Amino acid sequence: MKLATYKDGSRDGQLVVVSRDLGTAHYATGIAARLQQVLDDWNFLSPQLQDLYETLNQGKARHAFPFDPAQCMAPLPRAYQWADGSAYINHVELVRRARNSEVPETFYTDPLMYQGGSDDFLGPCDDVVVPKEEFGIDFEAEIAVVTGDVPMGATPEQALEGVRLLMLANDVSLRNLIPAELAKGFGFFQSKPATAFSPVAVTLDEVGDAWQGGRLHLTLQSSWNGRKVGLCEAGPEMTFHFGQLIAHICKTRNVRAGSIVGSGTVSNKGEERNGRMEWPKGYSCIAEKRAIETIQDGKPSTEFMKFGDTIRIEMKGRDGQSLFGAIEQKIAPPAKA
């Protein structure tokens, strides 16, 4: 099934069930008002939502209305936890190679992860508001999962059983703030503003056999200012699957229902063509494009995002239809007082 949260003037919005074709929706008020309620009581409430979903798809829901992504908050407008990994080691290799730095061996066996702000997510069509262009504004197209309860010490296989929903994410980065923060040895903070998520979150059955071994084997599309810049395959080159990422968190603590875990920037390896490395599938963040340019030409030539720029992130199923709806955002300065 597909679930979204509509804006209603409150912090947490109203839960709606969305049809498979993203054409219609129905408030889930009679079952649950908020997505977090469903995650807290999944075995009891999700079958009821599934029944409503099937009725909606059959065109028999009496109070259905046209679905409008612009009315959506993030599926979980605020969450108990947002932990973002860097599961595509090719992304790390590119960035490090561009600055002539080796990737530590442990990066291939132990996932990188940071804990981001989870109290103020962006809706899929909300502006990305940044104080200054000079901060180095970058998009990051990612896959994310929402979990149920997963106990401390869970194995990767056990952790996979805790995956409840899939989403897309735009994990915005302020690249020019990152070096100074990392130099402190305490990780990202101001360089990671609010993250945006896709209009809908979907259950695993919606993606069929594209979900294999904790990886989503579909193409993630990124379009910057209307130009397609990324057609990256999300499955084959994901070094750490979602079970491993969740288990990484579970090493020393429980993961509670409503936690969101991100994949990190989806990234694919380059190919050698006529003695030169090329990246035909493009990129899912500008920092990677700049790393590619540095490797090829000795310096980056692509600038980061400016006010007025747009980013669109979307993934289509094997039938060619949009699975999650699209993240469509504009970069904007703060409103004048």
Side-chain angles (χ1 to χ4, degrees):
M1 62 185 162
K2 299 190 176 185
L3 303 172
T5 295
Y6 254 38
K7 297 176 181 177
D8 68 351
S10 72
R11 291 181 185 273
D12 298 302
Q14 286 284 325
L15 179 65
V16 298
V17 177
V18 183
S19 62
R20 180 169 287 113
D21 65 2
L22 303 179
T24 58
H26 194 290
Y27 283 106
T29 313
I31 301 167
R34 310 281 186 267
L35 180 54
Q36 184 62 50
Q37 292 174 253
V38 181
L39 294 162
D40 286 337
D41 200 2
W42 184 261
N43 291 337
F44 179 67
L45 294 177
S46 66
Q48 298 177 55
L49 292 174
Q50 182 69 33
D51 289 343
L52 176 55
Y53 180 63
E54 292 171 3
T55 302
L56 186 62
N57 286 325
Q58 294 163 4
K60 297 178 180 179
R62 292 181 59 189
H63 301 293
F65 52 87
F67 177 61
D68 182 4
Q71 296 301 314
C72 288
M73 306 174 79
L76 266 179
R78 49 181 175 166
Y80 288 116
Q81 176 167 223
W82 161 232
D84 196 20
S86 187
Y88 296 85
I89 198 66
N90 179 67
H91 173 72
V92 181
E93 290 173 338
L94 276 174
V95 173
R96 293 229 164 197
R97 182 179 168 191
R99 62 175 193 249
N100 295 315
S101 177
E102 291 187 4
V103 178
E105 284 300 319
T106 56
F107 282 27
Y108 295 90
T109 56
D110 192 32
L112 290 171
M113 187 170 284
Y114 82 93
Q115 190 139 24
S118 61
D119 57 329
D120 185 31
F121 292 137
L122 298 178
C125 301
D126 292 346
D127 288 348
V128 178
V129 178
V130 179
K132 297 179 181 179
E133 288 181 343
E134 291 76 17
F135 287 168
I137 308 162
D138 198 357
F139 67 90
E140 288 193 56
E142 304 188 8
I143 315 297
V145 300
V146 184
T147 77
D149 288 327
V150 183
M152 182 170 57
T155 65
E157 293 73 23
Q158 292 167 336
L160 269 184
E161 296 298 315
V163 174
R164 296 287 179 259
L165 298 164
L166 298 168
M167 304 186 293
L168 303 182
N170 179 18
D171 178 44
V172 181
S173 287
L174 304 179
R175 298 294 182 185
N176 293 338
L177 299 184
I178 288 177
E181 289 203 315
L182 294 186
K184 294 179 179 180
F186 224 54
F188 303 120
F189 198 79
Q190 291 174 335
S191 53
K192 287 291 187 177
T195 302
F197 293 95
S198 50
V200 301
V202 311
T203 48
L204 298 180
D205 57 301
E206 291 295 324
V207 300
D209 63 3
W211 179 255
Q212 297 178 23
R215 299 175 175 90
L216 186 54
H217 290 261
L218 291 170
T219 305
L220 186 61
Q221 304 178 15
S222 301
S223 298
W224 178 14
N225 290 335
R227 186 172 69 89
K228 199 160 285 183
V229 296
L231 287 168
C232 297
E233 299 302 323
E237 297 178 46
M238 189 179 186
T239 309
F240 301 101
H241 64 67
F242 277 107
Q244 291 171 299
L245 294 178
I246 298 168
H248 180 78
I249 307 172
C250 289
K251 181 174 181 178
T252 58
R253 52 180 158 164
N254 299 313
V255 169
R256 292 307 186 192
S259 293
I260 304 174
V261 181
S263 66
T265 304
V266 175
S267 179
N268 293 154
K269 291 184 179 297
E271 301 173 5
E272 187 169 340
R273 296 181 176 181
N274 301 318
R276 178 181 169 91
M277 287 299 294
E278 302 287 347
W279 281 264
K281 294 176 182 177
Y283 53 91
S284 299
C285 74
I286 301 168
E288 189 161 302
K289 172 64 170 172
R290 288 168 60 86
I292 290 169
E293 291 167 345
T294 301
I295 292 166
Q296 291 177 322
D297 307 318
K299 62 179 181 180
S301 56
T302 300
E303 295 185 354
F304 291 117
M305 302 180 86
K306 304 297 184 183
F307 293 144
D309 280 9
T310 60
I311 178 64
R312 178 185 173 95
I313 299 169
E314 188 174 24
M315 177 175 276
K316 296 180 179 180
R318 302 204 192 281
D319 60 359
Q321 300 301 307
S322 183
L323 269 172
F324 305 91
I327 296 173
E328 295 190 85
Q329 297 183 281
K330 182 174 70 175
I331 307 301
K336 293 182 179 179

